[in-house]
Amino acid sequence: MRKIRTNVINPIDQDRAEFLPDHVLIWSSDRITALRPFDPRLDADAEDKHESLCLPGFIDLHVHLSQYRVRGLWEPDLLRWLDKFIFPEEARSHRPEYAKEVTRDFFHALFKAGTTTSVIYTAAYQHACETAFEAARQLGARALIGMTMMDANCPADLRQSADSALGESIRLFETHCNSKHMLKYIFTPRFALSCSPELMRKTGDFIRANNAWLQTHLSENPEEINEVQKLFPGKTYTEVYAELGLLSERTILAHAVHLSEYEIGLIATSGSSVAHCPDSNFFLKSGEFPYRDIADKGVKIGIGSDLAAGSTLNMLHHAKMANYRQSTYPLSPERLLWHITLGNARILQLDERIGSLDTGKDADLVFLNTPKDTLWNRDILSRLIFCPEEFPVVETVIAGKTVFSVGS
Ligand SMILES: [Zn+2]
């Protein structure tokens, strides 16, 4: 059991968050058992973090583990960036030792950033994906993890056959489908350019029959969209996925920057969600995410880092970028916090367990240091979102277990 005196910011819904100064948070085993105002008569034994902030652990809806070492490498065009930096780096994970090193570095950085749940792409090798599951289990991460599938239009050392890409993915799914709620497998066709129609159709058949999760990229960049239209004449990008059966309530579509109203309607009807990756969209000059159009149609929107096109695993930075990336539509600090916590949890169908600090939920949380001139009132959330570098992570906890703390 741990009992901590701290200050809490807790998301309530997409437009509200509560600031709870000088509270006591208690968890026992993996569950939160109490959150109440500090009482000196009852709580003299509490650990003292009364100058820190405590929030639910951050959730990253879209991140590439195998790209961790090539973050921040400049090439402002998606397809050229993939060829120049990303495919060569992902191919290095062919060596098991290299895959292990990258995986270890990735999870350490993830916890240091205060992220407790993530939706991960690994390289196109079964062993690299298994390595990620093994590390996540040993370290105590909560994650959905998938092996990237590619059987077309990619370098030979990353190309799988349709049969092996699907067969290995199904083996990974079957191996990990019973690992309680902490780890799940997610089918991961990279995008329509690097997957044959046969592979996508068979994957779609499997996920619908088995109620499985799926992630892919959609309509990120105009040149990419042109290439998709050459391969699939007469169809929009979203129709390609819809007709091959990839869209379901357990599908996460990264980017979705350039969509017609009809395509947004297709996504809404399917119940699929969108992972908005604003820092990545800036970096690769992909365009401005149509937040209002997509939200107005009722599509669930989450936020992802998309590292390595995103520059950092710090989800507060990505929340800030989501605000900055909208040239006219104002996203409030409350909305942004909700996206990287409870909103992302809802997309993952985990909002009954995680995403806010409520009694009975799992103890997934992060403690942050505060600056000397902290505003100890509701405005603290705004400063947190727009000045995230002033609030370094000091401890990250997943299911009641500390996975990162400063000095250890
Ligand atoms: Zn991505």
Side-chain angles (χ1 to χ4, degrees), residues 62-64 67 121 217 220 254-255 277 280 306-307:
H62 181 84
V63 62
H64 296 263
Q67 298 174 11
Y121 285 61
H217 298 88
E220 177 175 359
H255 301 302
C277 306
S280 164
D306 195 24
L307 187 125

Side-chain angles (χ1 to χ4, degrees), residues 20-60:
L20 305 172
D22 205 11
H23 269 55
V24 166
L25 177 69
I26 304 172
W27 69 88
S28 179
S29 183
D30 57 348
R31 299 290 171 89
I32 296 169
T33 53
L35 175 62
R36 55 175 165 72
F38 175 74
D39 181 337
R41 292 167 304 166
L42 297 174
D43 301 321
D45 58 339
E47 289 176 56
D48 187 5
K49 289 183 186 279
H50 80 278
E51 291 187 350
S52 70
L53 265 185
C54 181
L55 288 93
F58 304 128
I59 301 175
D60 188 341

